[in-house]
Amino acid sequence: MKLTRKRPRAHAFVALAIAAGLALAGCSGESPNSPNADPSGDAGGSNVVLSFGKPDGPQTNNSNPFLSSSAARVMGYAYALYEPLVQVNQIDPAQDPTPWLAESWEWNDDYTAITYTVRDDVTWHDGEPLTADDVAFSIQMRADNEALNAEALPYSSITTDGNKVTVTFETGQFTNTFKVYGLFIVPEHIWSTIADPTTDLNQEPVGSGPYTLTSWTEQAVTLDAYPDYWGGEVAVPQIRYQEFNDNTALTNALVAGDVQWGWTYIANYEEVFTSKDPAYQSWFPSGINADALWFNTAQGPFADLNLRKAAAMVLDREAMSVTGTTGAAAPITSVTGLPTAGESYIADKYKNEQWATDLEGARQLLTDNGYTYDGDALVAPTGEPVSVTLPDPSGWSDYNANLQIIADSFRQLGLDAQINNLPPDQWQEALNVGQFDAALHWTDAGATPYDMYANFMSGSYLAPIGETAVSNFGRFDSPEATAALTTYAATSDDAERTAALETIETIFVEQIPAVSVLERPSWGQYSEKYYTGWPSATDPYADINMTMPAASLILTHLEPVS
């Protein structure tokens, strides 16, 4: 999946063809869980409401699309309401992007400017037209408010000319094209009146997407098809988003047919789920990203490089894959941390360098560098026993299982490794403020390895312990890594970019700010009992992730089963 290196070119697509391709037949219906529903499926899917589920626990009524912690973003319905300018395929970065709110776009030669041509046939859910001014306003909001600029894009200027919007950047955005394309757009006539968009709950959201929010309760968030959607009539008349307390509860709902699109880890998924009905499907695609063990390099035992190296040497990645994910997530063994999708980016000197579990080698490394043993207990050079705590998001059974494997590996090395079970929101907060010793977390995906390595090492994400960091949770502070990342992102010279990436990989291998352990799949479960057209291994047109901008693309692909 190496990104094909091409000169920038205009992506001028015929918008009418896209709209025609999105036009799907549909009619009204009710939820299969409601008293008036017809769950038999005898008449196909056109009378059945689709229910989507995630295992994040209770949410509060917050539909602010800018806030990653809002119910809209956590549950995923933000992307049925709000749409991006361009759709991208995270699992196939080389695939041509799909025009969406922008009918075409063009980069300049050094990727410091992009000009969008905005569609002229889109209306907001309140009937107002979506214009280039809305696009410019939405991007300007991010430029003016750092808290809204989650993508950390270095905006310089945003201007309009008719239905064209030109965005310039302080540096080249070759590595951030997916982020630039995926910016969702909000209506200026509403958001310009909001006093503080970083805290507003946006409980009556108005977007341009294929669905509108009609009901919000703690049990379910209900969205109805928008009758004047620019892409045509969608097939599913109503969708409902539900939260469950843990993976097990959501799995039970999927098996019972109460949820038709799920995002959860299911142990022994073939036996537990897909074997129960021919309509039940699972798909676990992954891109250039990873589940990684992040080390706190700013405080605690793992501030010592030698302990990080030894810890990396004892991890049993194969056990984590087999036991923790039933083989759904492949182990990452390259010392560069790159998964299969990123293998073409591995520097020549690391092509054959692989991690292998080596307990004796790890013990020798530590004793050669001032550590001792008191029986089986590891003692630091300071004379103190080595104790570490691993935060664990309660109810996430894959992380729960894999953290037990990690802790057991650390105990074999002589560490007193304890697991601290936390509600998922508190677990995320602990990572954000740097209150952990080592923690499992995923990285972002992108068109190149840049996003993954920036998550681990970029100084642009660096924050002191106690302050919020949206990435670089381990507080790895390397000006050399930050400079190489900046060069990789900004240069338009392929040779210079390749050299910068080798520097990045070398720092990652030698300094070990984190260890990639597993490929990061999308835990996609879905049912074809009522609707087909889901992305799959045979039709991988999108990542099967309801919390990504491609959700609107998927929803417009669904068709009722006859």
Side-chain angles (χ1 to χ4, degrees):
M1 295 186 185
K2 183 176 180 180
L3 181 68
T4 303
R5 300 186 187 278
K6 300 178 180 178
R7 299 304 299 165
R9 60 185 176 89
H11 290 263
F13 293 82
V14 180
L16 290 177
I18 296 296
L22 298 180
L24 303 173
C27 53
S28 62
E30 298 196 42
S31 167
N33 300 320
S34 71
N36 298 321
D38 176 10
S40 67
D42 293 341
S46 59
N47 65 334
V48 177
V49 172
L50 283 187
S51 181
F52 306 157
K54 289 187 76 242
D56 304 301
Q59 302 291 310
T60 57
N61 189 354
N62 185 342
S63 295
N64 188 327
F66 289 101
L67 304 183
S68 62
S69 60
S70 71
R73 289 284 298 277
V74 171
M75 300 176 77
Y77 65 85
Y79 294 115
L81 302 172
Y82 298 97
E83 299 182 287
L85 290 160
V86 182
Q87 296 279 9
V88 298
N89 190 343
Q90 292 278 2
I91 62 172
D92 186 3
Q95 180 179 308
D96 279 339
T98 301
W100 213 248
L101 294 183
E103 63 182 13
S104 65
W105 59 95
E106 185 172 8
W107 288 96
N108 66 352
D109 286 347
D110 62 1
Y111 287 86
T112 58
I114 185 172
T115 298
Y116 293 106
T117 301
V118 181
R119 299 180 61 94
D120 60 6
D121 57 351
V122 181
T123 60
W124 297 106
H125 294 156
D126 60 4
E128 293 292 318
L130 185 152
T131 69
D133 288 338
D134 291 307
V135 173
F137 171 80
S138 300
I139 299 175
Q140 191 69 55
M141 284 180 69
R142 295 168 167 94
D144 294 341
N145 193 326
E146 184 177 358
L148 301 183
N149 187 12
E151 300 81 14
L153 294 173
Y155 297 107
S156 179
S157 66
I158 299 100
T159 58
T160 62
D161 182 8
N163 68 336
K164 296 183 183 297
V165 179
T166 298
V167 184
T168 65
F169 303 92
E170 295 175 358
T171 58
Q173 298 303 298
F174 172 81
T175 59
N176 288 332
T177 54
F178 279 17
K179 293 180 181 179
V180 176
Y181 295 154
L183 297 173
F184 62 82
I185 305 304
V186 298
E188 179 180 13
H189 65 280
I190 290 177
W191 284 84
S192 62
T193 67
I194 293 176
D196 186 355
T198 66
T199 60
D200 193 90
L201 299 180
N202 191 38
Q203 292 183 343
E204 297 181 2
V206 173
S208 64
Y211 289 87
T212 63
L213 191 150
T214 53
S215 173
W216 204 105
T217 70
E218 292 185 357
Q219 288 71 39
V221 179
T222 302
L223 281 67
D224 286 338
Y226 176 44
D228 296 322
Y229 181 57
W230 64 268
E233 187 177 11
V234 290
V236 185
Q238 189 178 87
I239 53 179
R240 293 181 183 174
Y241 291 78
Q242 301 179 68
E243 279 291 354
F244 295 81
N245 287 331
D246 52 35
N247 287 356
T248 300
L250 176 51
T251 298
N252 291 338
L254 282 160
V255 172
D258 295 332
V259 170
Q260 292 82 43
W261 188 5
W263 174 265
T264 186
Y265 165 70
I266 301 177
N268 300 311
Y269 66 93
E270 291 179 334
E271 176 183 350
V272 172
F273 176 61
T274 56
S275 66
K276 301 303 181 183
D277 191 307
Y280 291 174
Q281 305 293 325
S282 293
W283 186 40
F284 311 119
S286 58
I288 305 179
N289 58 342
D291 267 328
L293 185 67
W294 305 62
F295 296 117
N296 192 325
T297 66
Q299 69 176 16
F302 289 119
D304 179 21
L305 173 59
N306 290 309
L307 187 61
R308 298 201 299 273
K309 289 181 178 179
M313 292 169 68
V314 299
L315 295 176
D316 191 340
R317 297 159 181 80
E318 186 65 29
M320 295 172 69
S321 172
V322 173
T323 303
T325 74
T326 326
I332 296 176
T333 58
S334 170
V335 294
T336 66
L338 288 172
T340 302
E343 284 181 346
S344 62
Y345 290 97
I346 297 176
D348 288 342
K349 65 181 181 180
Y350 295 127
K351 289 288 187 185
N352 299 313
E353 296 294 320
Q354 306 287 325
W355 284 112
T357 304
D358 184 5
L359 178 59
E360 291 308 312
R363 285 175 174 266
Q364 187 66 52
L365 171 67
L366 292 174
T367 56
D368 286 348
N369 286 279
Y371 288 82
T372 58
Y373 280 91
D374 181 5
D376 292 331
L378 182 67
V379 179
T382 60
E384 297 294 324
V386 180
S387 177
V388 298
T389 299
L390 313 176
D392 182 11
S394 299
W396 293 13
S397 51
D398 55 330
Y399 271 32
N400 303 158
N402 281 328
L403 283 164
Q404 289 290 348
I405 293 171
I406 292 169
D408 288 343
S409 297
F410 286 176
R411 290 168 188 142
Q412 292 179 45
L413 186 58
L415 284 72
D416 177 15
Q418 301 298 321
I419 293 176
N420 182 23
N421 291 295
L422 296 169
D425 58 340
Q426 294 180 27
W427 163 80
Q428 184 64 66
E429 177 66 14
L431 270 69
N432 288 348
V433 299
Q435 296 299 334
F436 68 96
D437 292 320
L440 272 181
H441 199 279
W442 58 90
T443 70
D444 291 334
T448 72
Y450 173 85
D451 294 89
M452 194 179 83
Y453 285 129
N455 285 172
F456 291 138
M457 302 189 292
S458 176
S460 66
Y461 294 123
L462 198 61
I465 296 290
E467 295 184 15
T468 297
V470 297
S471 199
N472 193 354
F473 304 120
R475 273 63 180 176
F476 182 69
D477 189 358
S478 170
E480 184 183 6
T482 300
L485 285 162
T486 300
T487 297
Y488 184 82
T491 184
S492 57
D493 182 83
D494 281 352
E496 189 175 12
R497 186 178 295 118
T498 298
L501 182 57
E502 182 168 333
T503 299
I504 293 165
E505 292 179 8
T506 299
I507 295 170
F508 182 81
V509 170
E510 294 181 353
Q511 296 297 313
I512 314 182
V515 182
S516 300
V517 291
L518 296 174
E519 297 194 0
R520 173 68 182 173
S522 293
W523 300 110
Q525 301 88 23
Y526 58 95
S527 171
E528 295 182 322
K529 188 171 185 178
Y530 305 114
Y531 297 93
T532 61
W534 303 94
S536 66
T538 57
D539 187 16
Y541 65 86
D543 187 352
I544 188 157
N545 182 343
M546 67 184 69
T547 66
M548 301 290 284
S552 56
L553 174 65
I554 295 171
L555 290 168
T556 57
H557 267 67
L558 298 182
E559 298 183 22
V561 174
S562 298

